[in-house]
Amino acid sequence: YLLITKHNMNLTMKLALLAFIMPTYSLAFAPSSKTANTKIINTCHQASFENELGAQPPLGFFDPLSLVADGTDQERFDRLRYVEIKHGRVSMLAVVGYLVQEAGVRLPGDIDLHGTSFDSIRNGFAAFNDIPASGIAQLVGFIGFLELAVMKDLTGGEFVGDFRNDFFDLGWDTFDEETKLTKRAIELNQGRAAMMGILALMVHEQLGVSLIPSF
């Protein structure tokens, strides 16, 4: 009888200990409400940008680095879009400039007072070795002027990246809203392609394998 009683007491103690541990174990491995709430908030923020301009086929909303999935507000999204548009515009100019120069098109005359002709300036990275230091300084100064005084929204445009500033319109206000969205989407996609394009041109030039076909 004593052995049975002792056995029952041990069993009761084990059951009581197990009943005490199980809730703690469940809390330790169950997802916390804070984590769940954070995931819900991030999903809502991401969903709020899924219909923004640029989220279109075939990729749709494409954010592999989760730049707008960590509680991003509209202000931060607009800043990222502003940078994307500006880099796209610069890259489009860069691709066109690279291809024009690779085709052998040069300005007439000399680049400096010492008789260095534009025709003697090579294309690509080699141009930095051919252009005089004063010429590079002028280029840097001109780019700085564009950045500080031209390539920015001074008057409050219709959308992020609207640099017309009540001066450079080219008939934009004559378009309907659907046409405006289409043209903005085209510019955005062309800019994305140009960023990849100029990067590929520069990388292959350094590798010694030109992407430009030779005839």
Side-chain angles (χ1 to χ4, degrees):
Y1 174 78
L2 290 175
L3 290 176
I4 294 174
T5 304
K6 184 177 181 180
H7 175 74
N8 289 339
M9 290 179 63
N10 289 338
L11 181 61
T12 302
M13 291 177 63
K14 290 179 180 179
L15 290 174
L17 182 61
L18 183 63
F20 176 77
I21 292 176
M22 282 303 294
T24 305
Y25 178 86
S26 300
L27 288 174
F29 290 92
S32 66
S33 59
K34 182 178 180 179
T35 302
N37 290 337
T38 301
K39 289 182 177 180
I40 292 173
I41 292 173
N42 289 344
T43 301
C44 291
H45 278 290
Q46 177 174 322
S48 65
F49 300 117
E50 286 183 350
N51 295 322
E52 288 284 347
L53 187 71
Q56 54 199 42
L59 296 178
F61 182 78
F62 185 66
D63 184 26
L65 299 180
S66 299
L67 295 177
V68 295
D70 56 353
T72 301
D73 56 15
Q74 187 65 44
E75 183 178 359
R76 172 170 164 76
F77 178 84
D78 289 343
R79 172 60 183 169
L80 293 172
R81 174 52 53 83
Y82 176 87
V83 172
E84 180 185 24
I85 291 175
K86 180 178 284 190
H87 285 181
R89 290 170 177 171
V90 171
S91 296
M92 285 188 279
L93 291 172
V95 169
V96 172
Y98 192 100
L99 296 178
V100 167
Q101 293 182 82
E102 192 69 18
V105 179
R106 296 290 189 277
L107 292 173
D110 299 332
I111 196 173
D112 61 13
L113 298 177
H114 300 289
T116 305
S117 65
F118 284 103
D119 285 336
S120 65
I121 305 298
R122 292 171 291 176
N123 194 22
F125 287 98
F128 288 105
N129 298 322
D130 298 340
I131 299 175
S134 58
I136 293 179
Q138 291 176 45
L139 288 173
V140 172
F142 180 65
I143 293 171
F145 168 74
L146 293 177
E147 178 71 19
L148 295 175
V150 179
M151 300 293 289
K152 60 191 306 181
D153 184 3
L154 300 174
T155 60
E158 289 183 20
F159 49 86
V160 177
D162 182 2
F163 296 159
R164 291 175 297 156
N165 295 317
D166 298 331
F167 173 73
F168 192 71
D169 187 81
L170 295 179
W172 178 261
D173 290 331
T174 63
F175 301 136
D176 57 42
E177 293 302 318
E178 183 177 357
T179 303
K180 288 180 178 180
L181 284 176
T182 300
K183 290 184 176 295
R184 288 174 58 198
I186 291 172
E187 181 194 30
L188 194 59
N189 280 338
Q190 297 284 22
R192 290 168 175 174
M195 284 188 277
M196 299 300 295
I198 192 60
L199 178 62
L201 288 170
M202 293 190 298
V203 169
H204 280 78
E205 180 184 329
Q206 292 298 302
L207 292 176
V209 183
S210 177
L211 293 177
I212 309 299
S214 57
F215 299 97

